[in-house]
Amino acid sequence: MHYHAQTILKEDEEIIQAVLIGNGERYGDIVDRYQTKLYRVSYYYTQNIEDARDLVQDIFIKAYNNLSSFKQGSAFSTWLYRIAVNHCLDWCRKKRPQYAEVSCLDIFSAEEEGPEDLYLRQEVASEIQAAVVNLPAIYSTVLILYYFEDFSPQEIAEITNTSKRTVETRLFRGRKMLRDKLHSKSSGGEGHDLLSKPGQLAQLR
């Protein structure tokens, strides 16, 4: 495990232990550490600022109320993301958001990048985000975690409580569905392949 990741894991455990023995104020450290990440994930699903903020608040409350069920020695971030993803999916089942159609852009080629290219990549990343969350939940979730949050297939498997092989299959199928969806809107313009590497879209948040 990377040294920084080990440090985070240890610090999280120390905070959780403090909260569990009665020092509830320390939970604020957890909120400070993860609220931006959870807001980002929630926004991917809701595409609405206020809804995303409400979800983040609900997620932290739910995590706090279930903190005693967290297994010491495992990654708290994985446990927290599992709660977040499940809560976001529940929200989607009850209140499925509507998204604008993806515009006619072809993102699957590579060019030398200048300022205009970077702007285009950011625009296309937003369009990919909107397209991703319109896919079936089993595919949208793994794509969001893989491309936007830079989780590995193994980490996604732990978050979604599935096998690594299942995650890899869903990534393959979801990527194909997404490419087909985007290509169906393409007018033939040349863009950028933003689905070539894990975490590729995280760089453009």
Side-chain angles (χ1 to χ4, degrees), residues 3-4 10 16 30 69 81 89 93 151 175 183 192:
Y3 174 76
H4 179 66
K10 183 178 179 180
I16 293 165
I30 291 293
S69 68
Y81 266 90
L89 291 175
R93 294 185 191 103
F151 281 106
R175 186 161 44 227
H183 274 306
H192 299 268

Side-chain angles (χ1 to χ4, degrees), residues 117-127 194 204-205:
D117 294 312
L118 178 59
Y119 175 77
L120 175 61
R121 285 165 64 87
Q122 291 171 331
E123 287 294 300
V124 175
S126 296
E127 292 171 351
L194 299 183
L204 300 175
R205 290 189 293 238

Side-chain angles (χ1 to χ4, degrees), residues 1-188:
M1 182 182 293
H2 191 276
Y3 174 76
H4 179 66
Q6 285 183 319
T7 301
I8 294 296
L9 190 152
K10 183 178 179 180
E11 290 176 351
D12 284 349
E13 285 193 353
E14 291 175 350
I15 294 170
I16 293 165
Q17 287 279 19
V19 174
L20 289 175
I21 64 175
N23 189 357
E25 292 182 357
R26 291 297 307 278
Y27 193 67
D29 296 335
I30 291 293
V31 174
D32 290 341
R33 172 168 288 175
Y34 290 103
Q35 63 182 347
T36 299
K37 296 176 181 179
L38 293 189
Y39 170 78
R40 194 166 56 229
V41 169
S42 297
Y43 186 81
Y44 292 149
Y45 284 96
T46 66
Q47 297 289 287
N48 180 279
I49 293 173
E50 292 304 319
D51 286 337
R53 287 174 177 168
D54 289 343
L55 283 179
V56 171
Q57 185 176 15
D58 292 343
I59 291 164
F60 278 123
I61 291 173
K62 188 171 185 178
Y64 182 84
N65 290 336
N66 290 277
L67 206 55
S68 60
S69 68
F70 170 68
K71 184 179 179 180
Q72 296 291 329
S74 59
F76 175 76
S77 60
T78 298
W79 183 82
L80 184 61
Y81 266 90
R82 184 181 303 130
I83 291 174
V85 167
N86 287 335
H87 195 68
C88 288
L89 291 175
D90 286 342
W91 182 92
C92 287
R93 294 185 191 103
K94 297 173 183 176
K95 184 181 178 182
R96 185 67 182 179
Q98 298 297 319
Y99 304 94
E101 290 290 333
V102 178
S103 65
C104 299
L105 286 171
D106 182 359
I107 66 168
F108 301 106
S109 64
E111 299 175 354
E112 183 177 351
E113 182 170 88
E116 292 183 358
D117 294 312
L118 178 59
Y119 175 77
L120 175 61
R121 285 165 64 87
Q122 291 171 331
E123 287 294 300
V124 175
S126 296
E127 292 171 351
I128 293 174
Q129 177 181 321
V132 164
V133 293
N134 272 309
L135 297 177
I138 61 171
Y139 301 115
S140 63
T141 294
V142 296
L143 291 172
I144 286 171
L145 293 175
Y146 187 73
Y147 285 111
F148 287 94
E149 294 302 308
D150 201 17
F151 281 106
S152 69
Q154 181 58 47
E155 289 171 323
I156 297 171
E158 294 171 4
I159 291 170
T160 57
N161 199 28
T162 56
S163 68
K164 180 181 177 182
R165 183 171 182 177
T166 296
V167 169
E168 290 172 340
T169 298
R170 290 176 179 176
L171 277 172
F172 176 80
R173 293 176 179 172
R175 186 161 44 227
K176 184 179 186 304
M177 293 169 67
L178 182 59
R179 287 176 185 266
D180 290 345
K181 185 177 182 65
L182 291 167
H183 274 306
S184 72
K185 299 294 180 182
S186 173
S187 60

